[in-house]
Amino acid sequence: MLTGISPNFRRCALAAAAFLPALLFAGMAAAQVEGQPAPGGLGLPAMVTPVGHEAQAFYNLVLLPIITVIALFVLFLLIYVMWRFNENANPVPSKVTHNTALEIVWTLIPVLILVVIAIPSFRLLTHQVEVPPADVTLKVTGNQWYWNWKYPEEQGGGFAFDQMMKPEAELAPGDLRLLAVDNEAVVPVNEVIKVQLTSNDVIHAFGVPSFGVRQDAIPGRLNETWFKIEKEGVYYGQCYFICGKDHAYMPLVIRAVSRPAYEAWLQEAKKKFAANDGDAKLRIAASDAQR
Amino acid sequence: MASSTTADAHHVPGALTRFLFSTNAKDIGTLYITVGAIGGIIAFVMSAVIRAELAQPGVQVFPVLAQYLHGADPAMALDAGKNLYNMFITVHGVLMIFFMAMPILIGGFGNWFVPIMIGAPDMAFPRLNNISFWLLVASLVLAVFSMFVEGAPGMRGFAGGWTFYPPLSGNTGTPGPAMDFVILALHLAGASSILGAINFITTIFNMRAPGMTLHRMPLFVWSILVTAFLLILVLPVLAGCVTMLLTDRNFGTAFYDPAGGGDPLLFQHLLWFFGHPEVYIIILPAFGVISQIVSTFSRKPVFGYLGMVYAMCAIGIVGSVVWAHHMYTVGLSLNAQRYFVFATMVIAVPTGIKIFSWIATMWGGSITFRVPMVWAIGFIFVFTVGGTTGVVLANAAADRSFHEGYYVVAHFHYTLSLGAVFAIFAGFYYWFPKMTGYMPNETLGKWNFWLLFFGVNIVFFPQHFLGLAGQPRRYIDYPDAYALWNLVSSIGMIPVTIAVLLWLYVIVEAFVAKRVAGENPWGAGATTLEWTLSSPPPFHQFNVLPRIAGSEH
């Protein structure tokens, strides 16, 4: 009927197949600066927390190979049946419509694959959700459209500050557009940081890709998450839940420093943010007035 | 199978009466498909504008559009533009789900072919059928109205994403009436679907022709039956969910307001108790369409018919108890997350059964690559890609890195924008000769496929990379590092746009060229009852019920 089409069809299908191997490289981390997105990146960013490393290994070594093999296997089967069982190659269709053994096999093998995925998946999930004893606890409150960081008194803090995106006009050389903020949050390196999250207005979400952390900030609820940063540096995150017109304009920035540098910063910050005695509401009113 | 006498002795009303007051399932099906096509084209244009905006970093398109569309003050244009972007992504989602996919697959193909495939003259409740269609039109009107009234202070329309989470959709985020219009639109769309579902279930259970046992029904009918049960189960939950939002907004209740003892998470649980089965409501009829087409063009009955039927039932049942996998980051307990990971991964098994059964149907067949079959094979591949990334996202541990990011966007567009839409095109090209009596142009239909296939893959495949790198979704502007793959993604919209225009041309060309299709243009493989009727079928079919003898599977 349409004999001329078949070879073309197969050739195009093969071209489509060439698109898939790109998946294989998706997991490889390109050369990049830790803490910020890599230009044209194909895979998960370089991770700097234990949970992040585990998540990256789970995706790159378990999930990605499995889904790539499954997708290529289905593609191979499709191309094979198109080649072997088209009307020219096989003019008389078979009448086979059942094969119990085959049906059991293609039910059980996926179950086994899922079990293989489930083991590392549940282990990582436990590590993410169960917060180990914390060295530093911070409270982060989402607002339309900025984050408020509160450092509690009993841990040497006793102040709070708002973290707002630097508008494009105020960017210094080297600042990242849409990611740089006025006040960076500073935390000590190699210590367990617990973040308590809530919101003053609508739902926001606190996410830092290089930590493997993403958690919602919901009004009326106190969520928690944690990270232990293994390297000093500046780490960028963004709001991961739609929160109104400036959803794209409320980044968060965390600078990890050594313990002594952290202590020094606490003293400095205490003076700088002295007006904010830890009561977020006062500061919100002030920042509203500024705008 | 059986043949039947289809002499048409009945009076056929004039065009206006026929379509405005129609109680004829086939005409109502045509109306549904028309409305679905209109909704789909509006939503497609919105997505094209969204991709134009995202083609490069910075905000370029929407402030200008806000001035034209809403008459925004130039001084406020940037803010109005940001709001308009969020409104576009919201309305794009709502239209594609409620006013494109559902009307075409369920209302359109369902009304057209469920009665015919089971050998029934019409639906069980023809007038109910009429009201369910017109409720949908009223709903569409309300949804469109909402775009032009105040939402957030000083802004037009509801701009909080199609999931309508409070407090952003409550008085905190959207005090204006735009959200009330959306809620009422959802009420009407829900009522429309519930009435339609009641009609399908009654029809399928009571009006099958003699010999058409449940286990002899074509798989498309089975898919609509399972879908109808899902609709009746979950749409009342949506109605309750948004009604409580309505009373929170207007009558001082506090179901979702923590200040009054409520909880925003209650809304999310209710919404997703509806919302997750909703994705199966869309994809199950698509599965049904693909099963019919693969069988027809392989000239073989469907492989493992019973397995296919019960896989759909299993997907429907398990799909109703996995809703909180949309909520892994809201602060669920560890055990709750473990359960939802487990239950969600289970769905991969019946879905795998379906994929492999389609391939086994083709195995040993004598395949002709007519246009509907090309779309169906394309569906199997892109749906597999979307399904495998679904297995990734089922893992709460991995979802921590992908939640509300572009990996999710890529995943659900592979299953819906590629999957469901490919099935819609497959069904359209498959049944167009039956519905109109004319053959669409074979070559143009294949061009339509290849343009859309490459286009959507270029649009959505790079979005996996963006999601892995960490780009959040629903962002009008993104850090410069994400520029490359956003540009590639936007370039993919060019072939997609050509494909959509070409599809419109294919329809016009078919009506102009008038290539008569005849009863059965697809040959010996097309064994279901619609191919025993004339094309288009008579105004009333099966005046004498066909008798179904024996089983094809």
Side-chain angles (χ1 to χ4, degrees):
Chain A
M1 204 175 299
L2 284 154
T3 45
I5 298 294
S6 296
N8 270 333
F9 187 77
R10 281 202 296 274
R11 215 173 303 143
C12 292
L14 283 171
F19 198 40
L20 252 191
L23 251 180
L24 280 171
F25 300 100
M28 318 226 168
Q32 54 184 280
V33 183
E34 275 140 348
Q36 48 180 279
L42 290 172
L44 285 166
M47 295 291 183
V48 293
T49 63
V51 164
H53 290 307
E54 200 179 332
Q56 194 169 34
F58 179 44
Y59 184 76
N60 286 354
L61 304 179
V62 180
L63 292 173
L64 185 64
I66 289 177
I67 65 169
T68 308
V69 167
I70 292 173
L72 289 177
F73 177 63
V74 170
L75 184 66
F76 164 76
L77 287 179
L78 282 173
I79 292 171
Y80 180 76
V81 292
M82 285 192 282
W83 167 73
R84 175 67 186 78
F85 298 109
N86 68 60
E87 59 180 342
N88 302 319
N90 193 39
V92 182
S94 85
K95 292 287 166 208
V96 179
T97 58
H98 290 283
N99 186 329
T100 310
L102 188 62
E103 290 180 63
I104 290 173
V105 166
W106 73 42
T107 307
L108 284 185
I109 289 179
V111 170
L112 292 178
I113 293 173
L114 292 176
V115 170
V116 169
I117 292 175
I119 294 165
S121 171
F122 283 110
R123 188 173 57 218
L124 173 57
L125 180 62
T126 310
H127 293 164
Q128 289 171 330
V129 176
E130 284 184 348
V131 182
D135 300 306
V136 176
T137 301
L138 304 174
K139 185 175 178 190
V140 179
T141 307
N143 295 272
Q144 281 179 320
W145 288 275
Y146 59 92
W147 299 95
N148 177 277
W149 292 76
K150 186 171 170 182
Y151 283 70
E153 181 109 54
E154 59 276 18
Q155 290 171 18
F159 57 87
F161 61 87
D162 291 342
Q163 190 173 64
M164 294 205 187
M165 190 189 81
K166 272 192 194 171
E168 219 164 321
E170 293 169 23
L171 289 180
D175 279 353
L176 295 171
R177 196 180 69 89
L178 298 181
L179 290 175
V181 295
D182 52 359
N183 299 313
E184 291 171 350
V186 178
V187 296
V189 76
N190 284 323
E191 293 185 33
V192 174
I193 317 290
K194 177 159 112 178
V195 177
Q196 296 183 323
L197 284 161
T198 188
S199 165
N200 267 329
D201 36 52
V202 301
I203 299 172
H204 304 270
F206 175 101
V208 185
S210 50
F211 297 173
V213 161
R214 213 163 285 186
Q215 192 73 36
D216 291 2
I218 302 173
R221 284 186 165 256
L222 195 65
N223 275 338
E224 59 181 29
T225 186
W226 73 283
F227 47 84
K228 184 173 153 187
I229 307 169
E230 291 163 341
K231 269 176 103 167
E232 292 188 22
V234 184
Y235 303 100
Y236 295 88
Q238 288 180 289
C239 177
Y240 281 90
F241 198 83
I242 186 167
C243 54
K245 75 177 168 63
D246 284 330
H247 171 45
Y249 303 91
M250 51 180 291
L252 55 98
V253 179
I254 295 165
R255 180 183 288 276
V257 299
S258 67
R259 186 78 207 181
Y262 173 65
E263 306 273 353
W265 176 81
L266 278 180
Q267 295 311 314
E268 192 189 312
K270 224 187 274 188
K271 282 179 220 132
K272 184 176 170 192
F273 302 118
N276 319 325
D277 56 358
D279 186 347
K281 285 209 173 95
L282 285 176
R283 179 63 188 162
I284 293 159
S287 64
D288 273 351
Q290 283 165 18
R291 275 179 288 166
Chain B
M1 278 201 184
S3 66
S4 65
T5 317
T6 52
D8 184 14
H10 290 267
H11 167 69
V12 180
L16 198 66
T17 317
R18 176 173 173 181
F19 285 101
L20 281 183
F21 307 133
S22 183
T23 53
N24 183 308
K26 295 187 291 292
D27 290 346
I28 292 175
T30 305
L31 290 172
Y32 266 114
I33 291 171
T34 311
V35 165
I38 293 169
I41 287 171
I42 298 173
F44 160 74
V45 170
M46 292 181 136
S47 65
V49 180
I50 292 168
R51 278 306 340 158
E53 174 62 67
L54 296 175
Q56 47 179 315
V59 179
Q60 300 92 16
V61 176
F62 277 87
V64 182
L65 195 63
Q67 292 182 49
Y68 282 110
L69 207 61
H70 287 157
D73 183 353
M76 289 289 293
L78 183 58
D79 278 348
K82 292 172 185 171
N83 179 76
L84 187 65
Y85 174 84
N86 288 350
M87 188 187 86
F88 262 48
I89 58 158
T90 307
V91 178
H92 166 77
V94 170
L95 288 184
M96 282 296 193
I97 295 166
F98 292 99
F99 300 102
M100 190 282 286
M102 286 175 74
I104 293 179
L105 282 167
I106 306 169
F109 295 156
N111 266 307
W112 252 102
F113 295 108
V114 164
I116 296 181
M117 281 180 164
I118 61 173
D122 205 309
M123 294 285 280
F125 305 121
R127 293 185 190 181
L128 194 70
N129 211 1
N130 176 290
I131 189 77
S132 32
F133 171 74
W134 287 105
L135 281 176
L136 188 76
V137 176
S139 169
L140 179 58
V141 171
L142 286 176
V144 172
F145 271 179
S146 87
M147 295 163 66
F148 298 94
V149 296
E150 180 158 337
M155 303 289 170
R156 304 284 182 85
F158 173 63
W162 83 271
T163 49
F164 323 113
Y165 285 5
L168 190 55
S169 61
N171 287 332
T172 311
T174 311
M179 187 61 211
D180 299 305
F181 273 100
V182 173
I183 292 172
L184 295 174
L186 289 174
H187 276 142
L188 291 189
S192 155
S193 290
I194 292 171
L195 296 180
I198 291 170
N199 212 345
F200 279 121
I201 292 174
T202 317
T203 307
I204 294 171
F205 279 163
N206 293 296
M207 294 180 61
R208 279 172 283 125
M212 177 61 80
T213 60
L214 281 176
H215 280 172
R216 283 182 194 162
M217 290 196 311
L219 283 172
F220 178 67
V221 181
W222 262 108
S223 73
I224 293 286
L225 182 65
V226 177
T227 302
F229 271 102
L230 282 177
L231 285 167
I232 288 189
L233 179 75
V234 301
L235 276 168
V237 178
L238 173 70
C241 169
V242 296
T243 304
M244 287 191 278
L245 183 60
L246 192 72
T247 62
D248 269 15
R249 292 172 52 83
N250 298 291
F251 307 117
T253 57
F255 293 107
Y256 308 129
D257 181 5
D263 189 346
L265 278 198
L266 173 63
F267 181 92
Q268 299 189 16
H269 279 292
L270 293 174
L271 189 280
W272 285 116
F273 187 85
F274 147 79
H276 196 73
E278 171 69 20
V279 307
Y280 296 106
I281 285 167
I282 293 171
I283 209 65
L284 283 176
F287 286 173
V289 172
I290 296 301
S291 295
Q292 302 303 138
I293 292 171
V294 168
S295 160
T296 294
F297 294 98
S298 305
R299 282 199 273 147
K300 265 182 74 194
V302 172
F303 184 93
Y305 172 88
L306 285 180
M308 292 290 256
V309 168
Y310 290 102
M312 282 197 284
C313 296
I315 290 172
I317 293 165
V318 182
S320 301
V321 291
V322 297
W323 70 90
H325 65 217
H326 298 269
M327 302 165 57
Y328 284 142
T329 63
V330 301
L332 295 177
S333 74
L334 180 57
N335 278 334
Q337 293 191 47
R338 283 172 174 153
Y339 161 74
F340 283 108
V341 170
F342 167 76
T344 305
M345 291 214 291
V346 166
I347 298 184
V349 176
T351 312
I353 291 176
K354 299 213 63 101
I355 301 267
F356 292 125
S357 294
W358 287 320
I359 295 174
T361 305
M362 292 159 70
W363 196 283
S366 182
I367 303 168
T368 46
F369 296 103
R370 303 295 294 272
V371 178
M373 186 61 171
V374 174
W375 285 97
I377 295 170
F379 169 92
I380 296 172
F381 175 66
V382 292
F383 190 79
T384 303
V385 175
T388 53
T389 54
V391 172
V392 171
L393 292 169
N395 294 283
D399 182 70
R400 286 283 183 295
S401 295
F402 302 130
H403 199 80
E404 283 294 311
Y406 264 81
Y407 199 89
V408 177
V409 175
H411 158 70
F412 70 73
H413 280 99
Y414 260 87
T415 55
L416 295 179
S417 169
L418 286 76
V421 167
F422 274 36
I424 285 170
F425 275 109
F428 179 83
Y429 279 103
Y430 183 52
W431 282 316
F432 185 86
K434 181 53 60 183
M435 295 189 287
T436 64
Y438 302 128
M439 290 303 288
N441 183 307
E442 190 83 13
T443 312
L444 292 180
K446 282 186 180 144
W447 271 100
N448 186 1
F449 169 79
W450 286 113
L451 282 166
L452 197 74
F453 182 83
F454 280 105
V456 284
N457 277 295
I458 296 166
V459 172
F460 293 112
F461 202 84
Q463 295 187 2
H464 291 113
F465 306 145
L466 292 173
L468 283 158
Q471 187 186 338
R473 67 192 275 215
R474 295 162 168 167
Y475 265 32
I476 188 172
D477 195 4
Y478 46 81
D480 303 340
Y482 302 126
L484 172 66
W485 294 120
N486 270 298
L487 177 63
V488 173
S489 178
S490 291
I491 288 172
M493 273 315 265
I494 296 168
V496 173
T497 308
I498 300 171
V500 172
L501 295 174
L502 183 62
W503 171 69
L504 294 172
Y505 176 74
V506 166
I507 299 172
V508 173
E509 196 270 346
F511 278 106
V512 171
K514 295 192 192 310
R515 287 173 295 266
V516 175
E519 274 187 16
N520 178 6
W522 305 131
T527 55
T528 41
L529 282 175
E530 74 266 35
W531 307 111
T532 64
L533 299 174
S534 60
S535 298
F539 192 61
H540 293 298
Q541 77 265 1
F542 301 135
N543 290 339
V544 175
L545 293 183
R547 290 194 168 272
I548 317 306
S551 173
E552 292 280 337
H553 38 73

